[in-house]
Amino acid sequence: MVTPSSDPGPPIRGLTYTMATVLSVITLLLGYAVLDVADAAPGVLTLAAAPPPPPTETPGTRTLPVVPQPTPSTSVGEPLPPLAGDAQAPTPDGVTRALRGVVSLPALADSALVVRDGQTGQVLFDDNGSQLRIPASTTKILSAAAVGQAFAADATLETVVRRGASDREIVLVAGGDSLINPGKGDSDRVAGRAGLADLSDQVSTALEKAGVDAVTLAVDESYAYGPGVAPTWDSGFRPSGITGAVAMLGLSSQRATGGRVGPADPVAAVRDLFARQLESRGIDVTLAPRERPSATTPPPATPTPSPTAAPTPSPTAAPTTGQSEVLGRIVSAPVRDQLALALTDSDNALTEILARQAAFRSGGGTTFADTGAWVVSQVTALGLDTRGVVLRDASGLSRENRVRADLLTRILVLGYDGQHPVLRRALDGLPIGGLTGTLDERFTGGNSDAAGRARAKTGTLTGANALAGSVVDDNGRLLVFAGMVAGAGTTEARAALDRFVATLASCGCR
């Protein structure tokens, strides 16, 4: 009989060796894993970012990012693309061929159409461009050119409060700013840059320092005073919000835009709110009787506005010698930015307000007809042919206005020549096709070639439609255009004018 031995013998030693080997391997693997996690050795556990794939011979297809349609503030103008200095301009023959189908549209049967190269001013297309027609709101392009000659590039408007004949009398001086914020001023905006609450703070502080707790408040309206509405306007324009009343003082919250009806008396609205704000600051206020100047007598050839009218405002200017003490002062956004805003929103009252005070500063009268005649004179002074041109206002609401399409394009060319900074800034405010202002819902569908590339001023009166501005074509060349249409419905006329501009944008027209 065989008895099992208690000695494990060689098999046990082999197992021991095998376990030792396995433990060694495991130890090595764990160590490597630690190094891998610590990014000290390559491996699947590394925390370092994976290296980029090697470049391929054939790159992927480049695609444009999807960008939601912007809704830029009208207080911040979009920069117009620069002129394409080296891009070849379209030829007249090329433009004529491209537009052949467009000009045959029934809506353009009675129209005036002009196209120019935006860089050289060369006429590329002219169909009845010398005919006098109702310009509607494209009148504002002429007004922008005129206003730009009366104001310096950085000119602003002041609203001040001065001490009156006694310590207990104060005078609110209308200085041309119709965009005053009823609260605190906002330095980032055009409409609302100056704040009435800031003015109230300044005046109440000054009165408290002088120991005055009750005042009589008067208003000085001698600066560029004139009628609130034009006799050639439809009587329903102001009550329906097509325009506000024209005055040299107003609140940004009461602008007549988008059909919103503004106050019949903007100056009184500002005065009354100012009085309430002073009372909330502990000052008792009594309103003085209103003394309105006459608008029938033009100022002298070299204007000498009322000493309290601040005709050449400056944020840091000290009160003129001999004038009463200034108790408070607020300063508007630059006139050039206000003008751009007027074009973006097609703000009729704001255009009239800026043009009237520009005429006043230049020695012109302050009725609507006086201001319109002054605008024509200033366009003439630019060296442009204005024979036959008639303006009864500065905004284009009058059906008695007459302008030529070729004149509109000449002004647009001048606006881009770098020599007229206020006009140039105003043109930056022209609505952008498909994006802003009165063009926000146009240039869609089949006319989308001009969306985002066209800037233009619209013009709409019953039986008279117009569009004038600029567009960058497919070759990067800036073209300016004007179209004036009579006898067509508004919907049909707009669609045809949009087709006209979209064709210019896409044709290349060599």
Side-chain angles (χ1 to χ4, degrees):
M1 175 181 291
V2 176
T3 303
S5 173
S6 61
D7 180 10
I12 298 299
R13 288 196 298 271
L15 179 60
T16 301
Y17 296 152
T18 301
M19 292 179 62
T21 302
V22 171
L23 289 173
S24 297
V25 171
I26 292 174
T27 301
L28 289 172
L29 290 174
L30 288 174
Y32 189 85
V34 172
L35 294 173
D36 183 8
V37 170
D39 297 336
V44 296
L45 300 179
T46 182
L47 299 179
T56 59
E57 242 181 281
T58 305
T61 303
R62 183 184 296 275
T63 59
L64 295 176
V66 177
V67 181
Q69 179 169 308
T71 56
S73 165
T74 56
S75 294
V76 182
E78 303 286 329
L80 190 78
L83 299 177
D86 297 329
Q88 184 178 348
T91 64
D93 287 344
V95 174
T96 299
R97 285 194 304 271
L99 292 177
R100 189 170 291 133
V102 178
V103 297
S104 65
L105 293 172
L108 298 182
D110 185 4
S111 63
L113 304 167
V114 178
V115 181
R116 291 179 185 270
D117 177 37
Q119 186 166 329
T120 66
Q122 178 190 9
V123 176
L124 302 174
F125 183 84
D126 189 325
D127 183 14
N128 298 323
S130 62
Q131 292 183 356
L132 291 166
R133 291 175 174 264
I134 299 175
S137 205
T138 59
T139 299
K140 293 180 176 67
I141 294 175
L142 281 77
S143 297
V147 171
Q149 296 184 84
F151 285 96
D154 58 350
T156 55
L157 305 171
E158 284 189 353
T159 304
V160 303
V161 173
R162 296 182 180 276
R163 195 178 299 281
S166 72
D167 288 346
R168 292 184 173 270
E169 295 178 357
I170 60 174
V171 181
L172 173 63
V173 182
D177 187 1
S178 64
L179 303 176
I180 298 173
N181 195 318
K184 296 286 187 179
D186 186 342
S187 61
D188 293 329
R189 301 190 64 82
V190 175
R193 177 74 59 87
L196 192 65
D198 298 323
L199 186 63
S200 299
D201 287 341
Q202 295 174 31
V203 173
S204 61
T205 299
L207 292 174
E208 289 170 4
K209 287 182 177 179
V212 176
D213 59 5
V215 295
T216 298
L217 171 63
V219 180
D220 181 349
E221 300 176 66
S222 59
Y223 174 65
Y225 180 80
V229 295
T232 58
W233 290 354
D234 185 289
S235 60
F237 281 173
R238 197 206 64 76
S240 63
I242 291 175
T243 183
V246 177
M248 295 300 117
L249 198 62
L251 297 172
S252 61
S253 58
Q254 296 180 338
R255 290 174 64 204
T257 56
R260 180 177 59 190
V261 180
D265 189 345
V267 174
V270 177
R271 177 201 62 184
D272 294 349
L273 178 57
F274 179 62
R276 292 195 298 272
Q277 290 180 350
L278 288 180
E279 289 181 332
S280 71
R281 289 161 172 77
I283 307 296
D284 290 333
V285 179
T286 301
L287 299 181
R290 195 93 168 261
E291 296 181 5
R292 303 188 187 186
S294 170
T296 58
T297 304
T302 302
T304 308
S306 163
T308 58
T312 53
S314 169
T316 58
T320 303
T321 302
Q323 294 181 353
S324 56
E325 177 189 358
V326 173
L327 303 176
R329 173 187 284 111
I330 52 177
V331 183
S332 75
V335 169
R336 63 175 184 269
D337 293 338
Q338 295 193 44
L339 197 57
L341 178 62
L343 292 184
T344 297
D345 293 347
S346 199
D347 189 324
N348 295 297
L350 180 56
T351 303
E352 296 286 356
I353 289 164
L354 297 174
R356 177 180 291 178
Q357 56 188 302
F360 177 81
R361 289 167 176 251
S362 302
T366 56
T367 67
F368 286 90
D370 288 338
T371 301
W374 175 82
V375 168
V376 175
S377 73
Q378 296 304 296
V379 173
T380 304
L382 287 169
L384 303 180
D385 181 2
T386 59
R387 286 176 295 179
V389 174
V390 175
L391 295 183
R392 302 299 186 195
D393 66 14
S395 61
L397 291 180
S398 175
R399 299 186 66 86
E400 296 182 12
N401 293 345
R402 294 294 183 272
V403 174
R404 301 189 310 273
D406 63 359
L407 176 59
L408 287 171
T409 59
R410 285 181 178 274
I411 294 173
L412 289 165
V413 170
L414 277 182
Y416 299 126
D417 69 0
Q419 303 301 311
H420 305 86
V422 177
L423 175 59
R424 180 64 179 83
R425 176 67 186 95
L427 295 184
D428 281 346
L430 289 174
I432 306 170
L435 293 177
T436 63
T438 52
L439 291 182
D440 62 347
E441 296 182 353
R442 292 175 64 170
F443 295 109
T444 59
N447 296 326
S448 61
D449 286 328
R453 289 200 272 168
R455 283 183 176 273
K457 184 70 204 73
T458 57
T460 305
L461 290 173
T462 303
N465 290 271
L467 190 67
S470 65
V471 64
V472 178
D473 72 6
D474 277 349
N475 295 319
R477 191 77 175 190
L478 183 73
L479 307 179
V480 300
F481 60 84
M484 307 171 79
V485 180
T490 296
T491 300
E492 294 76 15
R494 286 179 175 178
L497 289 170
D498 289 358
R499 180 74 256 150
F500 169 66
V501 177
T503 300
L504 295 175
S506 63
C507 76
C509 299
R510 300 292 172 80

